[in-house]
mmCIF file of all heavy atoms in Angstrom:
data_model
loop_
_atom_site.group_PDB
_atom_site.id
_atom_site.type_symbol
_atom_site.label_atom_id
_atom_site.label_comp_id
_atom_site.label_asym_id
_atom_site.label_seq_id
_atom_site.Cartn_x
_atom_site.Cartn_y
_atom_site.Cartn_z
ATOM 1 N N GLU R 198 -40.412 -28.322 -85.516
ATOM 2 C CA GLU R 198 -41.857 -28.161 -85.616
ATOM 3 C C GLU R 198 -42.324 -26.750 -85.326
ATOM 4 O O GLU R 198 -43.184 -26.208 -86.034
ATOM 5 C CB GLU R 198 -42.527 -29.197 -84.653
ATOM 6 C CG GLU R 198 -42.424 -30.629 -85.003
ATOM 7 C CD GLU R 198 -42.988 -31.518 -83.968
ATOM 8 O OE1 GLU R 198 -43.563 -31.060 -82.993
ATOM 9 O OE2 GLU R 198 -42.820 -32.763 -84.092
ATOM 10 N N ALA R 199 -41.721 -26.133 -84.285
ATOM 11 C CA ALA R 199 -42.138 -24.784 -83.883
ATOM 12 C C ALA R 199 -41.748 -23.829 -85.032
ATOM 13 O O ALA R 199 -42.535 -22.859 -85.323
ATOM 14 C CB ALA R 199 -41.457 -24.346 -82.596
ATOM 15 N N ALA R 200 -40.586 -23.995 -85.616
ATOM 16 C CA ALA R 200 -40.085 -23.174 -86.650
ATOM 17 C C ALA R 200 -41.045 -23.236 -87.877
ATOM 18 O O ALA R 200 -41.408 -22.209 -88.476
ATOM 19 C CB ALA R 200 -38.685 -23.489 -87.039
ATOM 20 N N LEU R 201 -41.361 -24.442 -88.268
ATOM 21 C CA LEU R 201 -42.233 -24.583 -89.423
ATOM 22 C C LEU R 201 -43.663 -24.140 -89.181
ATOM 23 O O LEU R 201 -44.290 -23.530 -90.026
ATOM 24 C CB LEU R 201 -42.241 -26.052 -89.850
ATOM 25 C CG LEU R 201 -40.913 -26.647 -90.371
ATOM 26 C CD1 LEU R 201 -41.086 -28.173 -90.701
ATOM 27 C CD2 LEU R 201 -40.491 -25.943 -91.627
ATOM 28 N N ALA R 202 -44.109 -24.328 -87.915
ATOM 29 C CA ALA R 202 -45.441 -23.805 -87.556
ATOM 30 C C ALA R 202 -45.488 -22.270 -87.650
ATOM 31 O O ALA R 202 -46.459 -21.699 -88.039
ATOM 32 C CB ALA R 202 -45.812 -24.271 -86.159
ATOM 33 N N GLY R 203 -44.373 -21.636 -87.285
ATOM 34 C CA GLY R 203 -44.296 -20.175 -87.429
ATOM 35 C C GLY R 203 -44.357 -19.707 -88.849
ATOM 36 O O GLY R 203 -44.740 -18.542 -89.095
ATOM 37 N N LEU R 204 -44.052 -20.597 -89.763
ATOM 38 C CA LEU R 204 -44.167 -20.196 -91.225
ATOM 39 C C LEU R 204 -45.505 -20.629 -91.791
ATOM 40 O O LEU R 204 -45.734 -20.486 -93.009
ATOM 41 C CB LEU R 204 -43.051 -20.941 -91.948
ATOM 42 C CG LEU R 204 -41.614 -20.492 -91.612
ATOM 43 C CD1 LEU R 204 -40.576 -21.320 -92.457
ATOM 44 C CD2 LEU R 204 -41.384 -18.996 -91.922
ATOM 45 N N GLY R 205 -46.393 -21.187 -90.950
ATOM 46 C CA GLY R 205 -47.639 -21.605 -91.371
ATOM 47 C C GLY R 205 -47.679 -22.987 -92.051
ATOM 48 O O GLY R 205 -48.549 -23.373 -92.781
ATOM 49 N N LEU R 206 -46.574 -23.769 -91.755
ATOM 50 C CA LEU R 206 -46.430 -25.094 -92.378
ATOM 51 C C LEU R 206 -46.679 -26.116 -91.334
ATOM 52 O O LEU R 206 -46.361 -25.911 -90.112
ATOM 53 C CB LEU R 206 -45.007 -25.238 -92.940
ATOM 54 C CG LEU R 206 -44.614 -24.292 -94.000
ATOM 55 C CD1 LEU R 206 -43.062 -24.515 -94.385
ATOM 56 C CD2 LEU R 206 -45.475 -24.356 -95.254
ATOM 57 N N SER R 207 -47.251 -27.291 -91.656
ATOM 58 C CA SER R 207 -47.491 -28.267 -90.774
ATOM 59 C C SER R 207 -46.355 -29.349 -90.896
ATOM 60 O O SER R 207 -45.771 -29.500 -91.909
ATOM 61 C CB SER R 207 -48.820 -28.944 -91.039
ATOM 62 O OG SER R 207 -48.940 -29.511 -92.324
ATOM 63 N N THR R 208 -46.128 -30.073 -89.849
ATOM 64 C CA THR R 208 -45.145 -31.121 -89.838
ATOM 65 C C THR R 208 -45.867 -32.494 -89.850
ATOM 66 O O THR R 208 -46.955 -32.634 -89.361
ATOM 67 C CB THR R 208 -44.256 -31.061 -88.613
ATOM 68 O OG1 THR R 208 -45.103 -31.050 -87.427
ATOM 69 C CG2 THR R 208 -43.377 -29.797 -88.660
ATOM 70 N N PRO R 209 -45.268 -33.516 -90.452
ATOM 71 C CA PRO R 209 -43.983 -33.473 -91.079
ATOM 72 C C PRO R 209 -44.088 -32.990 -92.553
ATOM 73 O O PRO R 209 -44.856 -33.604 -93.319
ATOM 74 C CB PRO R 209 -43.513 -34.923 -91.074
ATOM 75 C CG PRO R 209 -44.777 -35.721 -91.039
ATOM 76 C CD PRO R 209 -45.814 -34.908 -90.369
#
Side-chain angles (χ1 to χ4, degrees):
E198 289 174 7
L201 294 178
L204 296 176
L206 302 175
S207 59
T208 53

